[in-house]
Tab-separated table of all heavy atoms in Angstrom:
chain	number	residue	atom	x	y	z
P	29	LEU	N	106.527	-67.590	115.334
P	29	LEU	CA	107.142	-66.781	114.282
P	29	LEU	C	108.385	-67.477	113.727
P	29	LEU	O	108.632	-67.459	112.518
P	29	LEU	CB	107.495	-65.397	114.830
P	29	LEU	CG	107.499	-64.267	113.803
P	29	LEU	CD1	106.100	-64.020	113.270
P	29	LEU	CD2	108.050	-62.984	114.424
P	30	ARG	N	109.174	-68.093	114.586
P	30	ARG	CA	110.372	-68.818	114.140
P	30	ARG	C	110.005	-70.016	113.270
P	30	ARG	O	110.688	-70.323	112.296
P	30	ARG	CB	111.198	-69.258	115.338
P	30	ARG	CG	111.873	-68.115	116.083
P	30	ARG	CD	112.596	-68.621	117.301
P	30	ARG	NE	113.661	-69.562	116.930
P	30	ARG	CZ	114.217	-70.429	117.769
P	30	ARG	NH1	113.789	-70.494	119.022
P	30	ARG	NH2	115.178	-71.224	117.363
P	31	VAL	N	108.919	-70.691	113.627
P	31	VAL	CA	108.458	-71.819	112.799
P	31	VAL	C	108.013	-71.306	111.429
P	31	VAL	O	108.336	-71.893	110.395
P	31	VAL	CB	107.319	-72.582	113.507
P	31	VAL	CG1	106.652	-73.566	112.549
P	31	VAL	CG2	107.858	-73.321	114.727
P	32	LEU	N	107.269	-70.201	111.408
P	32	LEU	CA	106.811	-69.635	110.146
P	32	LEU	C	107.981	-69.196	109.266
P	32	LEU	O	107.899	-69.255	108.038
P	32	LEU	CB	105.890	-68.440	110.403
P	32	LEU	CG	104.534	-68.742	111.052
P	32	LEU	CD1	103.806	-67.450	111.385
P	32	LEU	CD2	103.674	-69.623	110.155
P	33	ALA	N	109.078	-68.774	109.907
P	33	ALA	CA	110.262	-68.332	109.163
P	33	ALA	C	111.147	-69.495	108.737
P	33	ALA	O	112.113	-69.292	107.989
P	33	ALA	CB	111.074	-67.360	110.012
P	34	GLY	N	110.847	-70.698	109.204
P	34	GLY	CA	111.685	-71.851	108.863
P	34	GLY	C	112.924	-71.968	109.722
P	34	GLY	O	113.837	-72.734	109.393
P	35	LEU	N	112.971	-71.237	110.825
P	35	LEU	CA	114.137	-71.264	111.714
P	35	LEU	C	114.023	-72.331	112.796
P	35	LEU	O	115.013	-72.630	113.470
P	35	LEU	CB	114.332	-69.895	112.367
P	35	LEU	CG	114.534	-68.734	111.397
P	35	LEU	CD1	114.603	-67.415	112.150
P	35	LEU	CD2	115.802	-68.946	110.574
P	36	LEU	N	112.842	-72.865	112.978
P	36	LEU	CA	112.603	-73.930	113.945
P	36	LEU	C	111.753	-74.988	113.255
P	36	LEU	O	110.713	-74.656	112.675
P	36	LEU	CB	111.872	-73.384	115.179
P	36	LEU	CG	111.599	-74.371	116.318
P	36	LEU	CD1	112.915	-74.802	116.974
P	36	LEU	CD2	110.680	-73.728	117.353
P	37	PRO	N	112.187	-76.253	113.283
P	37	PRO	CA	111.428	-77.280	112.564
P	37	PRO	C	110.092	-77.598	113.228
P	37	PRO	O	109.930	-77.433	114.445
P	37	PRO	CB	112.363	-78.489	112.603
P	37	PRO	CG	113.202	-78.276	113.820
P	37	PRO	CD	113.405	-76.796	113.919
P	38	CYS	N	109.157	-78.035	112.427
P	38	CYS	CA	107.869	-78.490	112.939
P	38	CYS	C	108.013	-79.899	113.502
P	38	CYS	O	108.591	-80.772	112.854
P	38	CYS	CB	106.824	-78.500	111.834
P	38	CYS	SG	106.510	-76.909	111.046
P	39	ALA	N	107.478	-80.115	114.693
P	39	ALA	CA	107.408	-81.469	115.223
P	39	ALA	C	106.227	-82.213	114.604
P	39	ALA	O	106.216	-83.441	114.521
P	39	ALA	CB	107.275	-81.442	116.742
P	40	ALA	N	105.236	-81.458	114.171
P	40	ALA	CA	104.075	-82.005	113.465
P	40	ALA	C	103.516	-80.891	112.596
P	40	ALA	O	103.738	-79.709	112.855
P	40	ALA	CB	103.020	-82.506	114.438
P	41	GLY	N	102.783	-81.279	111.549
P	41	GLY	CA	102.223	-80.294	110.645
P	41	GLY	C	103.266	-79.742	109.699
P	41	GLY	O	104.400	-80.227	109.632
P	42	ASP	N	102.878	-78.703	108.954
P	42	ASP	CA	103.815	-78.110	108.010
P	42	ASP	C	103.462	-76.646	107.755
P	42	ASP	O	102.370	-76.190	108.059
P	42	ASP	CB	103.823	-78.883	106.686
P	42	ASP	CG	102.558	-78.631	105.868
P	42	ASP	OD1	101.479	-79.040	106.324
P	42	ASP	OD2	102.649	-78.019	104.790
P	43	VAL	N	104.441	-75.918	107.192
P	43	VAL	CA	104.278	-74.524	106.805
P	43	VAL	C	104.440	-74.426	105.302
P	43	VAL	O	105.340	-75.049	104.725
P	43	VAL	CB	105.326	-73.625	107.503
P	43	VAL	CG1	105.216	-72.178	107.008
P	43	VAL	CG2	105.155	-73.681	109.018
P	44	GLN	N	103.559	-73.647	104.663
P	44	GLN	CA	103.648	-73.441	103.223
P	44	GLN	C	103.860	-71.954	102.927
P	44	GLN	O	103.215	-71.092	103.526
P	44	GLN	CB	102.384	-73.931	102.521
P	44	GLN	CG	102.223	-75.442	102.551
P	44	GLN	CD	101.265	-75.943	101.484
P	44	GLN	OE1	100.465	-75.189	100.945
P	44	GLN	NE2	101.347	-77.223	101.183
P	45	LEU	N	104.778	-71.693	102.025
P	45	LEU	CA	105.062	-70.348	101.558
P	45	LEU	C	104.671	-70.259	100.093
P	45	LEU	O	105.202	-70.995	99.262
P	45	LEU	CB	106.555	-70.029	101.732
P	45	LEU	CG	107.063	-68.719	101.134
P	45	LEU	CD1	106.417	-67.514	101.813
P	45	LEU	CD2	108.586	-68.639	101.225
P	46	MET	N	103.708	-69.405	99.800
P	46	MET	CA	103.233	-69.201	98.426
P	46	MET	C	102.877	-70.545	97.781
P	46	MET	O	103.307	-70.873	96.683
P	46	MET	CB	104.278	-68.440	97.620
P	46	MET	CG	104.621	-67.089	98.236
P	46	MET	SD	105.897	-66.152	97.377
P	46	MET	CE	104.957	-65.540	95.978
P	47	ASP	N	102.086	-71.329	98.538
P	47	ASP	CA	101.505	-72.588	98.073
P	47	ASP	C	102.519	-73.709	97.865
P	47	ASP	O	102.203	-74.721	97.248
P	47	ASP	CB	100.699	-72.385	96.781
P	47	ASP	CG	99.515	-71.450	96.977
P	47	ASP	OD1	98.918	-71.485	98.073
P	47	ASP	OD2	99.199	-70.674	96.067
P	48	GLN	N	103.730	-73.555	98.384
P	48	GLN	CA	104.718	-74.629	98.353
P	48	GLN	C	105.241	-74.873	99.759
P	48	GLN	O	105.408	-73.916	100.523
P	48	GLN	CB	105.896	-74.274	97.438
P	48	GLN	CG	105.556	-74.190	95.965
P	48	GLN	CD	106.811	-74.045	95.120
P	48	GLN	OE1	107.807	-74.711	95.352
P	48	GLN	NE2	106.761	-73.169	94.128
P	49	PRO	N	105.530	-76.131	100.110
P	49	PRO	CA	106.103	-76.390	101.431
P	49	PRO	C	107.338	-75.523	101.657
P	49	PRO	O	108.202	-75.409	100.779
P	49	PRO	CB	106.458	-77.880	101.380
P	49	PRO	CG	105.483	-78.447	100.393
P	49	PRO	CD	105.300	-77.376	99.353
P	50	LEU	N	107.425	-74.925	102.819
P	50	LEU	CA	108.512	-73.987	103.113
P	50	LEU	C	109.878	-74.630	102.908
P	50	LEU	O	110.806	-74.009	102.373
P	50	LEU	CB	108.374	-73.495	104.559
P	50	LEU	CG	109.324	-72.398	105.024
P	50	LEU	CD1	109.106	-71.119	104.224
P	50	LEU	CD2	109.142	-72.128	106.515
P	51	LEU	N	110.025	-75.881	103.305
P	51	LEU	CA	111.322	-76.538	103.246
P	51	LEU	C	111.729	-76.925	101.825
P	51	LEU	O	112.888	-77.300	101.599
P	51	LEU	CB	111.325	-77.775	104.151
P	51	LEU	CG	111.135	-77.481	105.649
P	51	LEU	CD1	111.156	-78.767	106.450
P	51	LEU	CD2	112.187	-76.503	106.154
P	52	ARG	N	110.812	-76.842	100.879
P	52	ARG	CA	111.167	-77.157	99.494
P	52	ARG	C	111.807	-75.975	98.774
P	52	ARG	O	112.411	-76.151	97.721
P	52	ARG	CB	109.928	-77.626	98.722
P	52	ARG	CG	109.459	-79.021	99.122
P	52	ARG	CD	108.381	-79.505	98.186
P	52	ARG	NE	107.828	-80.780	98.641
P	52	ARG	CZ	106.813	-81.402	98.047
P	52	ARG	NH1	106.239	-80.845	96.966
P	52	ARG	NH2	106.352	-82.533	98.520
P	53	TRP	N	111.634	-74.790	99.347
P	53	TRP	CA	112.279	-73.627	98.751
P	53	TRP	C	113.785	-73.697	98.998
P	53	TRP	O	114.225	-74.007	100.103
P	53	TRP	CB	111.742	-72.334	99.372
P	53	TRP	CG	110.343	-71.987	98.989
P	53	TRP	CD1	109.207	-72.246	99.710
P	53	TRP	CD2	109.911	-71.295	97.813
P	53	TRP	NE1	108.109	-71.766	99.059
P	53	TRP	CE2	108.508	-71.168	97.890
P	53	TRP	CE3	110.586	-70.761	96.711
P	53	TRP	CZ2	107.760	-70.538	96.915
P	53	TRP	CZ3	109.841	-70.127	95.729
P	53	TRP	CH2	108.443	-70.024	95.834
P	54	ARG	N	114.560	-73.382	98.000
P	54	ARG	CA	115.990	-73.225	98.233
P	54	ARG	C	116.209	-72.037	99.158
P	54	ARG	O	115.429	-71.095	99.174
P	54	ARG	CB	116.719	-73.008	96.906
P	54	ARG	CG	116.661	-74.219	95.976
P	54	ARG	CD	117.403	-73.927	94.677
P	54	ARG	NE	117.372	-75.081	93.777
P	54	ARG	CZ	117.893	-75.093	92.570
P	54	ARG	NH1	118.497	-73.996	92.094
P	54	ARG	NH2	117.831	-76.173	91.821
P	55	THR	N	117.294	-72.102	99.923
P	55	THR	CA	117.537	-71.083	100.946
P	55	THR	C	117.488	-69.678	100.376
P	55	THR	O	116.847	-68.778	100.937
P	55	THR	CB	118.899	-71.329	101.616
P	55	THR	OG1	118.910	-72.637	102.191
P	55	THR	CG2	119.155	-70.301	102.707
P	56	ARG	N	118.155	-69.465	99.263
P	56	ARG	CA	118.189	-68.122	98.678
P	56	ARG	C	116.821	-67.710	98.165
P	56	ARG	O	116.409	-66.554	98.337
P	56	ARG	CB	119.220	-68.075	97.547
P	56	ARG	CG	119.383	-66.698	96.929
P	56	ARG	CD	120.528	-66.663	95.937
P	56	ARG	NE	120.599	-65.395	95.235
P	56	ARG	CZ	121.488	-65.116	94.291
P	56	ARG	NH1	122.398	-66.020	93.945
P	56	ARG	NH2	121.477	-63.939	93.700
P	57	GLU	N	116.086	-68.626	97.554
P	57	GLU	CA	114.748	-68.308	97.049
P	57	GLU	C	113.810	-67.958	98.207
P	57	GLU	O	112.999	-67.039	98.102
P	57	GLU	CB	114.191	-69.486	96.258
P	57	GLU	CG	114.932	-69.761	94.956
P	57	GLU	CD	114.403	-70.996	94.257
P	57	GLU	OE1	113.861	-71.881	94.972
P	57	GLU	OE2	114.520	-71.083	93.033
P	58	ARG	N	113.919	-68.704	99.291
P	58	ARG	CA	113.082	-68.422	100.466
P	58	ARG	C	113.427	-67.059	101.046
P	58	ARG	O	112.544	-66.294	101.433
P	58	ARG	CB	113.269	-69.518	101.510
P	58	ARG	CG	112.369	-69.357	102.728
P	58	ARG	CD	112.470	-70.569	103.640
P	58	ARG	NE	113.768	-70.670	104.270
P	58	ARG	CZ	114.188	-71.718	104.958
P	58	ARG	NH1	113.417	-72.787	105.066
P	58	ARG	NH2	115.374	-71.722	105.529
């Protein structure tokens, strides 16, 4: 759950929020 929320980084793979990489969202937008 923390990885999905962007609170813990992925050691491998990635998470996407609304078809964009989670880490590309600005903090406020996320």
Side-chain angles (χ1 to χ4, degrees):
L29 208 66
R30 291 176 62 199
V31 169
L32 293 174
L35 301 175
L36 182 67
C38 300
D42 73 294
V43 176
Q44 291 200 341
L45 173 64
M46 302 178 77
D47 298 325
Q48 293 189 43
L50 186 63
L51 296 180
R52 288 189 186 176
W53 289 97
R54 294 180 179 178
T55 302
R56 183 173 174 182
E57 292 176 334
R58 184 173 68 190

